[in-house]
Amino acid sequence: MKNPSYFLDMPENRSSCVVFSSPHSGRDYPEAFLKRSVLGSDVIRSSEDAFVDQLFASASDFGAPLIKAAMPRAYLDLNRSADELDPALIQGAKRQGHNPRVASGLGVIPRVVANGRAIYSGKLTMDEARLRIDTYWRPYHSRLKALLAESHAKFGQAILVDCHSMPHEAVAMASTARNTRPEIVLGDRFGASASTEIVDRIEAAFSTAGLVVARNAPFAGAYVTQTYGRPGRQQHAIQVEIDRSIYMNEDTISPNANFMAFSKILQQVIAEIAEIGSEPQRLAAE
C-alpha cells in the first residue's frame, strides 16, 4: 500500500501487536528540492537512515505491519512535532522557548543535515512549510496512530518499534557495562515510553543474535517514542538505533559486504520481537 507520505507493508495475517516504523529511511527526493538545495545529492543523504526499511522488510512475514517514510528526512522529519518550526529557516515562525533540536537546525523541516551542513541558502515561506506538513507529516502519523489503535483493539496492547540507524562516530565514545562499543541502542526514554519487561525482551533478542546492546545513550528516543509510548495504557514505544557501519559504507551510502549477513541476523531478531506481541493476554494482564 502506498500514500504520498509512506509505504505500508501489511501482513496477510496480523498475528502480532507489534508495529514497526521507519520514519527516516525515505529517499524520494523531489527534483525541485534538490535544485533548491546548496548541497550535492550525496551530502544531502547523510542524515538519511539509508536501507533501514530494507533491513526490517521481513516484519510482515511475522505478522506485524511495517510503515516506512517515502519522503527523506532532509525534506521533512517525521520524528519531530509538527510545531517544531525553525525561525532561522521558516519565515514567520515564532520562537517557542529553547528547543535544542530546533536550535541546532533539526526541526520538523530541517535546516541542516549531518555535521551541521546547511541545506538552503535562504528561507522557506510558512505556506511551503505547512504544505509539507499537511501533505506528508499528517498522513504518516494518522496511519501510525491507526495501526497502534488496531493493535490495541485486537491484542489488548500495542508495541511500537521505531527503527533508525546511527553514524558510527555517534557511538565511538559510548560504551556498555562491559566497556564495549554498542552496536544497538534501545531508547525507551529512561523507562517512560515502555515497560521494562518488553524492553528487556527486545534487548535479549538482539543480544542473543550476538549484538552489543546499550540503552538510552547516546539516544533515548525523540518525538515518536515520547508521543506514542504510554505504558500505563498498554501502548509501548521503543526506539532502535543500529550502527550504520555494520551494514553500509557511510561515505558512499551503499550496502557493504556484510549487508546480507546482517539482514539475516536481523530477520531472526524481528521474528522474536514479533513473537513478544503475539502474547497479548499474558502481557496485557501484567
Side-chain angles (χ1 to χ4, degrees):
M1 298 173 62
K2 186 186 177 191
N3 174 283
S5 70
Y6 62 82
F7 299 90
L8 179 60
D9 296 342
M10 288 295 291
E12 291 185 10
N13 175 30
R14 194 163 173 182
S15 58
S16 173
C17 77
V18 178
V19 175
F20 291 87
S21 170
S22 180
H24 286 165
S25 58
R27 51 188 173 272
D28 290 351
Y29 288 84
E31 188 63 30
F33 169 65
L34 293 175
K35 289 180 178 179
R36 188 168 188 176
S37 173
V38 298
L39 299 175
S41 57
D42 289 340
V43 175
I44 207 166
R45 293 189 65 193
S46 60
S47 59
E48 177 187 317
D49 284 349
F51 313 116
V52 165
D53 55 339
Q54 296 178 35
L55 291 174
F56 285 88
S58 64
S60 61
D61 295 336
F62 303 109
L66 167 64
I67 184 171
K68 45 197 177 180
M71 302 306 289
R73 181 185 186 184
Y75 185 80
L76 179 82
D77 194 335
L78 295 167
N79 201 21
R80 298 288 183 265
S81 166
D83 296 328
E84 290 185 271
L85 299 171
D86 185 352
L89 175 65
I90 300 165
Q91 296 174 10
K94 297 179 179 179
R95 299 188 183 278
Q96 301 179 355
H98 179 65
N99 182 314
R101 294 187 293 268
V102 173
S104 63
L106 297 173
V108 63
I109 298 179
R111 173 166 39 92
V112 302
V113 293
N115 297 318
R117 291 167 288 192
I119 299 172
Y120 311 93
S121 60
K123 287 192 172 188
L124 306 181
T125 66
M126 180 63 77
D127 286 344
E128 183 172 357
R130 292 299 183 194
L131 180 61
R132 292 189 193 185
I133 292 168
D134 290 344
T135 305
Y136 302 106
W137 191 97
R138 297 194 191 285
Y140 188 94
H141 282 279
S142 177
R143 193 67 185 95
L144 179 56
K145 288 178 184 177
L147 289 168
L148 293 171
E150 291 162 8
S151 283
H152 201 282
K154 183 173 182 178
F155 299 96
Q157 69 168 354
I159 301 172
L160 172 60
V161 178
D162 194 40
C163 309
H164 296 265
S165 66
M166 54 189 174
H168 182 67
E169 65 181 22
V171 291
M173 301 302 293
S175 63
T176 67
R178 293 175 290 170
N179 201 31
T180 52
R181 186 177 298 169
E183 298 168 305
I184 306 292
V185 176
L186 302 181
D188 64 357
R189 299 189 65 81
F190 300 95
S193 69
S195 77
T196 300
E197 180 190 2
I198 288 174
V199 183
D200 285 348
R201 293 184 66 182
I202 291 176
E203 179 175 348
F206 283 105
S207 296
T208 300
L211 296 162
V212 180
V213 186
R215 291 195 195 183
N216 294 310
F219 304 105
Y223 175 79
V224 169
T225 47
Q226 181 178 11
T227 300
Y228 297 107
R230 296 289 183 268
R233 303 175 188 174
Q234 296 300 330
Q235 180 166 296
H236 310 271
I238 303 93
Q239 179 175 280
V240 175
E241 294 273 4
I242 303 172
D243 182 349
R244 293 174 186 167
S245 68
I246 298 174
Y247 64 89
M248 66 176 277
N249 183 313
E250 295 183 77
D251 294 327
T252 61
I253 313 180
S254 59
N256 63 21
N258 192 47
F259 185 87
M260 292 307 298
F262 183 65
S263 295
K264 290 180 180 179
I265 291 172
L266 260 193
Q267 188 170 4
Q268 181 57 41
V269 173
I270 293 165
E272 292 185 27
I273 293 174
E275 184 67 22
I276 299 170
S278 68
E279 306 166 356
Q281 291 183 336
R282 186 177 69 83
L283 284 176
E286 295 176 358

